Amino acid sequence: MLNVMSGSPRVRAKCLALWATTFAIFIVDTLTELDIAVAVLYVLVIMMAMGTCSIRGLRRVALICALLTAAAFFFSHLDHPFSAALARCVVSLTAIGIATWLALKNRRTRDELQEQFSLLAHTHDVEARLHRAQIELAHICRITTMGELSASIAHEVNQPLAAIASSAEAAQRWLDRPSPDLKEAGAAIARAASNARRAAEVIKRIRDLTRKSDSLYEELDLQSVVTDSLALLDREIQSHKVRVACSFASPSLWVSGDRIQLQQVVINLIMNSLQAMNGHKSSPRELHVRTYRQESHAVVEVQDNGPGIDQHHLALLFDAFFTTKENGMGIGLSICRSIIELHGGCIRADSQPNLGATFSFSLPVSPANGQPSN
Ligand SMILES: Nc1ncnc2c1ncn2[C@@H]1O[C@H](COP(=O)(O)OP(=O)(O)OP(=O)(O)O)[C@@H](O)[C@H]1O
Ligand SMILES: [Mg+2]
């Protein structure tokens, strides 16, 4: 209940005030001859207890107030109990009863609200942890994809390096001539420099994709997200003997998003298409990548002419761990979905058996993109 010796100084001061008020009301009620229901003032005590006591404590304070009211009546009016004083005592007890009922109701509502608030805070905490876990998982998957693409990546880096070496040798030869050709040597050095930039770009793209960081939202030209992804997969596409046809919206579509995460989605979709066409005898193998505008959304579509998707599987594709591949984890599409949903968009799959599969995701067009085109 209310212990004056325990709690913080503020609580202790409140307890002291509460018991002092109770005592003062009792003295006035017992010792003075006033023809008013002094004990009604115990309502004050109950209001004070409401802010400080537990529900149990509140009940006890109310009981003490009621007992003190009755005690004061018996001390002062024992000689003629059936008088106006009895009516005043009943009024006071009723007031104490009503005040207690209201205070208890108020206290319960407050406790419930507090409970809901802490539940909400807990839910928020769980959501934040889930969000972190999703980012971690997406990062792990990017590293796995990079592992799968290691041969292609090595080739991507090797190509410009080989070009740099041959340009440098050519420049050397032009300079070693009896009459050095400075113009040709200069052109060879410029080719070497441009290939060095290309190699640096490839390495930057790979480094960006493997970096682990929080989401970094910026205004993105969707076309550059797609072309950067295609550039990383270039060798993979060639080795799968797939012909790629691209068509991009004009003017460019701008969205607000994390470049690396959106690139991950495009890479996942294209990798799935390459894998699907690999086990299928469609010839020639074709991949269509499009971006277009649909009302206030920018859409990226990846369409292949692989085996397509079993109608019964369509509803399961985006579930974690759904896979039809021997070595698949079944996590790629579920990550794509969570990334797209975090960006406020949606992703879908369509397929006609033996005619291939089409995956598309849409994202809100950024306001920076200007007015909707007619
Ligand atoms: N383009 C496609 N054509 C046909 N089936 C597809 C295509 N893309 C996805 N699927 C089906 O969806 C399933 C789930 O794809 P998801 O990318 O989530 O996992 P996965 O590719 O099996 O494994 P991983 O986690 O390694 O990517 C695939 O196993 C496959 O059956
Ligand atoms: Mg996959």
Side-chain angles (χ1 to χ4, degrees), residues 268 271-272 275 325 330-333:
N268 271 341
M271 285 287 281
N272 273 348
Q275 288 162 356
K325 298 172 194 168
I331 210 82
L333 287 177

Side-chain angles (χ1 to χ4, degrees), residues 145-146 148-149 152-153 156 205 209 226-240 244 263-272 274 287:
T145 311
M146 289 291 109
E148 284 172 34
L149 292 175
S152 308
I153 289 169
E156 278 288 294
R205 273 203 298 265
L209 263 175
V226 173
T227 49
D228 278 0
S229 312
L230 280 167
L232 264 169
L233 293 170
D234 191 39
R235 174 92 184 126
E236 203 68 15
I237 290 169
Q238 283 177 33
S239 70
H240 280 82
V244 181
Q263 241 174 273
Q264 183 174 4
V265 174
V266 177
I267 290 174
N268 271 341
L269 296 183
I270 296 176
M271 285 287 281
N272 273 348
L274 297 182
L287 183 75

